[in-house]
């Protein structure tokens, strides 16, 4: 089987990687990432101009991609640059808007920033336990409830909110100006928000939206897994370079066989992670998409943690300093495990499906 990228995807990957290396280096990223708004408006516009957002949507929705492999190409490049821009929210919103047949020109052009509000304090991952409610119909819909850890919500102009109206789980559009939004910076350098809704006016986007929401979550998981692969590639490169340069007792430590073995173990985990991302990307949108997304998230979570911990240990104290990039990549890799379901949650989901 040929896993090489198509020419269009390779060109997009090269363009994004070159742009992020030259215009969004880790030093710049750290200046904007850890304090609100955790976002660079000018760089966001440039990413949109490069086609990063258009690659997330299919042609019928105004984009030029939208497949799992298009998403993987974009987010692997973003992972290599540990970019703090709210692209995840744009991806998940685009999936929902595509399902609804809604116009998303402003989203894909980067003119309007979207965030998808699904998680709640008592229902961080499961759609079945969502408690936010929708009341009314037509032009008189209101929402009440609280959404937690809304990624990209700190800068969103529009929220797409999962809420129950009777026995149906729908998707509703809420203007940020109509809701109470409390933004905050996360420990890994990204941004999120708490969204408080109390009789907040909303517009129905999808009446029965459970399937569309699960598809958006699956796409988000594929994106996060691809991002982790990109970040792991970089952290492994830093580690190997360090092993070739650092001397102990007059000997380059990369000559010690035990450290060579550990570096190879890191690479093995990365390649296994890359393989499961390819599989999950191929299944996205299909009947088995949720199962393979969970399998990928579980494997990626374990591989990301191992690579982060091994890189820090083999670097020694320098890897814990603010100035050295490894510490920021390690924080991002650990946080990735907790977004859209952690390792334990997805392991339990796959186990339950097998048992059934």
């Amino acid at each position: 089987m040929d896993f090489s990228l198509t020419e269009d995807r390779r060109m997009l990957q090269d363009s994004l990687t070159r742009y992020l290396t030259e215009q969004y280096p880790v030093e710049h990223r750290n200046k904007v990432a850890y304090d609100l708004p955790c976002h660079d408006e000018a760089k966001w516009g440039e990413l949109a101009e490069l086609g990063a957002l258009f690659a997330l949507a299919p042609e019928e929705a105004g984009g030029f991609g939208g497949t799992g492999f298009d998403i993987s190409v974009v987010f692997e490049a973003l992972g290599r640059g540990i970019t703090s821009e709210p692209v995840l929210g744009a991806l998940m919103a685009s999936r929902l808007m595509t399902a609804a047949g809604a116009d998303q020109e402003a989203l894909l052009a980067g003119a309007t920033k979207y965030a998808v509000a699904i998680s709640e304090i008592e229902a961080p991952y499961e759609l079945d336990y969502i408690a936010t409610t929708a009341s009314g119909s037509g032009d008189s819909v209101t929402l009440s409830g609280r959404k937690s850890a809304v990624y990209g919500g700190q800068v969103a102009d529009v929220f797409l909110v999962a809420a129950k109206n009777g026995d149906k789980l729908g998707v509703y559009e809420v203007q940020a100006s109509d809701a109470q939004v409390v933004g905050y910076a996360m420990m890994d350098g990204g941004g999120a928000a708490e969204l408080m809704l109390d009789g907040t006016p909303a517009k129905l986007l999808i009446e029965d939206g459970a399937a569309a929401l699960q598809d958006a979550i699956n796409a988000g998981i594929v994106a996060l897994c691809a991002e982790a692969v990109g970040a792991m590639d970089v952290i492994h490169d830093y580690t190997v370079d360090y092993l070739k340069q650092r001397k102990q007792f007059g000997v380059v430590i990369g000559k010690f066989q035990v450290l060579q073995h550990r570096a190879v173990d890191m690479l093995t985990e990365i390649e296994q992670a890359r393989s499961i991302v390819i599989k999950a990307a191929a299944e996205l949108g299909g009947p088995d998409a949720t199962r393979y997304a969970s399998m990928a998230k579980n494997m990626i979570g374990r591989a990301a943690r191992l690579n982060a911990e091994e890189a820090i240990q083999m670097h020694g104290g320098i890897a814990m300093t603010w100035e050295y990039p490894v510490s920021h990549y390690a924080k991002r890799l650990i946080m990735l495990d907790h977004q859209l379901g952690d390792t334990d949650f997805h392991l339990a989901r796959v186990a339950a499906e097998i048992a059934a």
Side-chain angles (χ1 to χ4, degrees):
M1 185 177 291
D2 184 8
F3 291 119
S4 60
L5 296 175
T6 64
E7 184 176 354
D8 288 343
R9 289 174 184 147
R10 182 182 55 78
M11 290 175 62
L12 176 61
Q13 183 184 63
D14 291 345
S15 296
L16 281 174
T17 301
R18 183 168 57 252
Y19 168 79
L20 293 170
T21 301
E22 296 175 357
Q23 302 297 324
Y24 212 112
V26 67
E27 295 81 10
H28 175 78
R29 179 261 185 191
N30 291 344
K31 288 180 182 178
V32 301
Y34 291 101
D35 295 307
L36 289 177
C38 308
H39 164 66
D40 186 323
E41 188 68 29
K43 300 300 184 186
W44 173 257
E46 291 169 3
L47 278 172
E49 289 178 5
L50 282 172
L53 304 183
F54 285 95
L56 306 179
E59 290 185 14
E60 60 268 24
F64 58 75
T67 70
F69 294 113
D70 297 308
I71 293 167
S72 298
V73 164
V74 171
F75 277 85
E76 186 172 338
L78 294 175
R80 295 186 69 85
I82 50 172
T83 310
S84 64
E85 302 306 317
V87 186
L88 179 65
L91 164 66
M92 296 178 68
S94 177
R95 301 292 289 197
L96 292 173
M97 295 175 78
T98 298
D103 178 25
Q104 50 185 299
E105 180 180 355
L107 183 158
L108 300 179
T112 302
K113 290 182 282 294
Y114 283 76
V116 176
I118 299 175
S119 297
E120 300 176 1
I121 293 175
E122 299 297 328
Y125 307 134
E126 288 281 13
L127 294 176
D128 292 342
Y129 302 134
I130 286 176
T132 299
T133 57
S135 303
S137 60
D139 296 329
S140 302
V141 177
T142 60
L143 303 184
S144 295
R146 175 175 176 172
K147 294 297 182 179
S148 185
V150 182
Y151 305 116
Q154 82 284 0
V155 294
D157 303 304
V158 180
F159 291 89
L160 300 185
V161 182
K164 286 185 176 177
N165 191 345
D167 60 351
K168 290 185 178 180
L169 180 62
V171 180
Y172 299 83
E173 185 177 296
V174 173
Q175 300 297 316
S177 57
D178 292 331
Q180 182 182 358
V181 182
V182 180
Y184 51 88
M186 297 188 296
M187 58 81 68
D188 67 322
E194 302 294 298
L195 179 66
M196 270 66 76
L197 305 163
D198 186 8
T200 305
K203 176 183 176 183
L204 177 64
L205 185 68
I206 306 175
E207 184 176 10
D208 192 353
L213 285 165
Q214 189 59 60
D215 174 71
I217 292 170
N218 292 342
I221 289 172
V222 169
L224 291 174
C225 290
E227 183 183 346
V229 169
M232 285 190 287
D233 272 340
V234 174
I235 209 171
H236 180 261
D237 290 343
Y238 272 113
T239 302
V240 171
D241 286 345
Y242 185 78
L243 295 179
K244 292 178 179 178
Q245 297 174 26
R246 178 74 166 90
K247 289 186 177 181
Q248 186 71 31
F249 305 114
V251 179
V252 174
I253 62 174
K255 290 184 176 294
F256 297 131
Q257 194 173 59
V258 65
L259 297 183
Q260 293 175 9
H261 288 172
R262 290 170 68 175
V264 170
D265 287 342
M266 289 175 67
L267 184 59
T268 301
E269 292 290 332
I270 294 171
E271 292 309 312
Q272 288 182 329
R274 196 186 312 277
S275 296
I276 195 66
V277 170
I278 290 172
K279 179 60 175 175
E283 295 291 339
L284 185 63
D288 297 322
T290 300
R291 180 202 308 170
Y292 285 104
S294 287
M295 291 171 66
K297 196 64 164 57
N298 173 264
M299 179 177 285
I300 291 289
R302 292 184 285 110
R305 181 178 293 276
L306 182 144
N307 272 269
E309 292 175 350
E310 286 289 83
I312 288 173
Q313 190 168 57
M314 284 194 278
H315 273 86
I318 190 175
M320 299 296 291
T321 62
W322 182 273
E323 293 77 14
Y324 199 62
V326 165
S327 64
H328 302 284
Y329 280 90
K331 284 189 289 185
R332 180 61 188 142
L333 285 170
I334 297 301
M335 179 60 77
L336 278 165
D337 181 36
H338 297 281
Q339 291 185 258
L340 301 181
D342 62 14
T343 301
D344 292 339
F345 170 80
H346 286 289
L347 177 61
R349 171 180 278 179
V350 174
E353 183 176 342
I354 293 173

